[in-house]
Amino acid sequence: MDTDQLIRSLAADNPHRAPRVGAVLSMALLVAAPLSILIFVTFFGVRADVMSAMRNPFFDMKFAVTLSLAIPAIIVSLHLSRPEALLRGWGWLLLLPVGLLAVAIGSEAMMAPAMPMTMRLVGKNSRVCMVAIPAMALPLLAGALFGLRHGAPSRPALAGALAGLVSAGLAATLYASHCTDDSPLFVATWYTLATALVTAIGAAVGSKVLRY
């Protein structure tokens, strides 16, 4: 019996099947989500004018951007959880929020400005944004890293960074309902900085906990 046949025989004889990475990741995120939601409800909450804000297309744009980051990041992270997987051919998915932001910034630039560019860029909640998104992302990051540990990523730092993108995208979706700064310039600046911070944490932790 050659080695490959032996491995197949042993696998066939083993009644235990390891759970799929996608299932474990989904469950881990669902377990972590209530803690992130608790942080949101306790310290932030939905903005008071949310009903009128929903008529502002730039308010809706924030959710499109954050979800277009989180969902592709989940897809790419699951792809990279396999040891032979490469980022080539998949990285373009992570550019979707960049494209949406570029369109939104261009659309805002063509409109009569309601406030100066500096005010739109800095906004009123930049400090809150830099605290809120990482704080709500950390439980989700722990869940994402736990889920990806059930795979075998050959580049653990990159996989950890993608876990950071997943958690930051989901946390930013929560925060978007609190944030009263709807300008695409604000989102492109402060949401991106907060996401970069979480991504860096994910890469640093992932390089250790996702190594096999």
Side-chain angles (χ1 to χ4, degrees):
M1 180 182 294
D2 62 24
T3 303
D4 291 339
Q5 185 179 353
L6 175 61
I7 292 173
R8 287 193 294 269
S9 298
L10 291 173
D13 291 339
N14 183 7
H16 175 72
R17 293 290 184 272
R20 293 182 178 273
V21 179
V24 178
L25 177 61
S26 299
M27 185 59 65
L29 290 174
L30 286 174
V31 169
L35 182 54
S36 296
I37 294 172
L38 178 62
I39 294 172
F40 172 75
V41 171
T42 303
F43 297 102
F44 306 106
V46 177
R47 57 191 280 180
D49 64 340
V50 66
M51 298 306 295
S52 60
M54 291 173 65
R55 294 193 290 269
N56 178 2
F58 292 128
F59 175 78
D60 301 328
M61 173 275 307
K62 293 190 295 186
F63 297 93
V65 169
T66 57
L67 289 174
S68 71
L69 172 64
I71 295 172
I74 290 174
I75 295 171
V76 177
S77 65
L78 289 175
H79 168 69
L80 290 179
S81 67
R82 301 195 303 269
E84 76 283 2
L86 299 174
L87 186 59
R88 188 185 311 117
W90 292 78
W92 67 270
L93 289 171
L94 303 176
L95 296 178
L96 290 175
V98 178
L100 286 176
L101 277 173
V103 171
I105 290 172
S107 299
E108 187 182 42
M110 291 187 293
M111 299 170 60
M115 61 182 69
M117 179 179 291
T118 303
M119 179 62 70
R120 284 181 281 146
L121 179 66
V122 177
K124 302 176 182 178
N125 300 280
S126 54
R127 292 183 181 179
V128 178
C129 179
M130 289 298 296
V131 172
I133 292 177
M136 291 186 289
L138 287 178
L140 294 165
L141 176 59
L145 291 171
F146 176 83
L148 293 178
R149 273 181 60 85
H150 286 72
S154 57
R155 301 175 66 182
L158 178 58
L162 282 162
L165 288 176
V166 170
S167 57
L170 294 174
T173 302
L174 274 176
Y175 176 70
S177 64
H178 167 83
C179 181
T180 56
D181 292 302
D182 298 328
S183 171
L185 285 174
F186 181 91
V187 175
T189 303
W190 299 102
Y191 283 48
T192 299
L193 287 174
T195 297
L197 175 60
V198 179
T199 302
I201 295 171
V205 178
S207 66
K208 300 181 184 301
V209 304
L210 299 180
R211 190 177 301 278
Y212 65 93

